[in-house]
Amino acid sequence: MLNSLQIDNFILQHLLTVLSICWTMINGMFWNIRGVLKAPNFRRLLRLIHMHGVQFLAICKSKLDVSNIETIRLRLSFDYVMVNLLAGLWIFISP
């Protein structure tokens, strides 16, 4: 069985491979936020994504159930999402 560090390294290696194939330069954002679905926070996040053309978004410690992830991906207009349950990290990508 893999431990959390091995899983994190695998996810990071896979993500870097995908990013290196798709982009030479991307706009990214990392946000440590609780309550991402609260209306003011979500509006702020949407505004920042559109204002800066964010193609890579990492949300850390959102404290939400992972069952909401697909709804959030669609509302944020990202193409892909990866989740690390142990670290509470959600990664959204749009090539």
Side-chain angles (χ1 to χ4, degrees), residues 24-67:
T24 56
M25 185 172 205
I26 63 168
N27 286 332
M29 186 169 117
F30 182 90
W31 198 354
N32 181 358
I33 183 172
R34 291 185 191 172
V36 69
L37 290 182
K38 291 181 182 175
N41 293 339
F42 198 81
R43 281 193 306 267
R44 184 179 314 127
L45 181 58
L46 275 175
R47 187 172 58 246
L48 288 170
I49 289 168
H50 293 297
M51 184 185 315
H52 298 289
V54 173
Q55 299 165 301
F56 172 86
L57 171 66
I59 296 179
C60 182
K61 299 181 182 176
S62 67
K63 303 290 185 188
L64 288 175
D65 184 17
V66 75
S67 65

Side-chain angles (χ1 to χ4, degrees), residues 46 49-50 71-79 93-94:
L46 275 175
I49 289 168
H50 293 297
T71 302
I72 295 170
R73 181 190 69 82
L74 293 171
R75 288 179 63 192
L76 293 175
S77 300
F78 279 94
D79 296 328
I93 303 169
S94 279

